[in-house]
Amino acid sequence: EVQLVESGGGWVQPGGSLRLSCAASGFTFSSYEMNWVRQAPGKGLEWVSYISSSGNTIYYADSVRGRFSISRDNAKSSLDLQMNSLRAEDTAVYYCATPAILTGTEFDYWGQGTLVTVSS
Amino acid sequence: QSALTQPPSASGTPGQRVTISCSGSSSNIGSHHVYWYQQLPGTAPKLLIYRNDQRPSGVPDRFSGSKSGTSASLAISGLRSEDEADYYCAGWDNSLSGVVFGGGTKLTVL
């Protein structure tokens, strides 16, 4: 069974840092591109970052570029998102996902999400 | 403001057919496949349609997708109460080098 399990969310003050992790299992993690997607309370889905299967290609949304850093460890089947200089508008549920948009197939898996709250 | 434009709301009565539109540009829908997700409150998005009009196994054939030029649409026929949810279109955008989502459409079954 494919599973993506996020961890690391919580409360942080503006300007602070947080590191999210996603543990993958049930599939060959090293073969799949991965995304982080977030959803602010009561709002729509927002793509955050992309990393290729090898980790050599990385993209970020304009809203987080320069503050967030995505990385992966294929040996450990894990995906991370280092978030620095956090702002109130970064408050959201963060999903780790290997969406169909990247696979081009019906292989589409999302974690349960982890809530990040940025507030003083 | 989302790169893909969806109506914020839609509604229908049980048994009706409802369509949700998604408008984009040449850098996203015009160049790439469209995907549709259903999201129930408090849960992760669920894939409904991939590559414009393909249904994953387990998704009822009441759901169908289409694409023409820089627009796409999701149709739900035989509307049921359990279809009440938020629906998002999505795809890749060349200009942004990333995934773009529509703003979401809240479907209400009256």
Side-chain angles (χ1 to χ4, degrees):
Chain A
E1 179 193 7
V2 172
Q3 280 197 314
L4 295 171
V5 180
E6 302 95 338
S7 61
W11 174 83
V12 62
Q13 290 186 328
S17 297
L18 213 54
R19 189 176 186 89
L20 305 183
S21 293
C22 172
S25 61
F27 66 106
T28 306
F29 179 76
S30 60
S31 296
Y32 287 87
E33 302 158 285
M34 298 295 296
N35 271 358
W36 285 99
V37 176
R38 68 184 181 184
Q39 186 169 35
K43 301 298 184 181
L45 300 169
E46 180 189 14
W47 171 76
V48 173
S49 184
Y50 158 96
I51 187 167
S52 64
S53 56
S54 65
N56 289 339
T57 301
I58 287 172
Y59 300 123
Y60 298 100
D62 288 344
S63 56
V64 307
R65 187 176 294 113
R67 300 186 299 121
F68 289 13
S69 177
I70 190 172
S71 61
R72 66 189 295 161
D73 185 335
N74 285 341
K76 296 181 178 179
S77 295
S78 67
L79 176 73
D80 286 345
L81 185 68
Q82 176 66 42
M83 304 185 296
N84 299 328
S85 303
L86 283 161
R87 307 166 180 167
E89 53 265 36
D90 295 319
T91 294
V93 172
Y94 284 73
Y95 294 101
C96 158
T98 177
I101 298 163
L102 301 182
T103 68
T105 70
E106 64 178 280
F107 189 90
D108 181 277
Y109 290 93
W110 298 59
Q112 84 287 353
T114 186
L115 177 63
V116 172
T117 303
V118 184
S119 172
S120 56
Chain B
Q1 189 171 353
S2 305
L4 303 181
T5 302
Q6 297 180 236
S9 63
S11 63
T13 57
Q16 267 191 330
R17 183 176 186 271
V18 170
T19 61
I20 298 172
S21 62
C22 176
S23 178
S25 68
S26 58
S27 65
N28 42 64
I29 294 179
S31 305
H32 298 281
H33 297 301
V34 178
Y35 299 76
W36 288 92
Y37 288 89
Q38 176 193 63
Q39 187 179 34
L40 299 171
T43 68
K46 171 190 173 184
L47 182 67
L48 282 181
I49 298 290
Y50 68 101
R51 294 173 71 95
N52 306 325
D53 56 9
Q54 301 299 300
R55 272 188 312 277
S57 55
V59 173
D61 59 6
R62 300 186 298 106
F63 295 91
S64 62
S66 64
K67 170 187 153 179
S68 178
T70 59
S71 295
S73 64
L74 172 72
I76 309 172
S77 60
L79 201 61
R80 305 174 69 163
S81 57
E82 56 259 41
D83 298 333
E84 191 162 284
D86 293 325
Y87 293 83
Y88 295 90
C89 59
W92 186 264
D93 190 292
N94 290 333
S95 298
L96 301 176
S97 291
V99 176
V100 288
F101 290 96
T105 298
K106 184 175 184 59
L107 175 64
T108 301
V109 181
L110 302 169

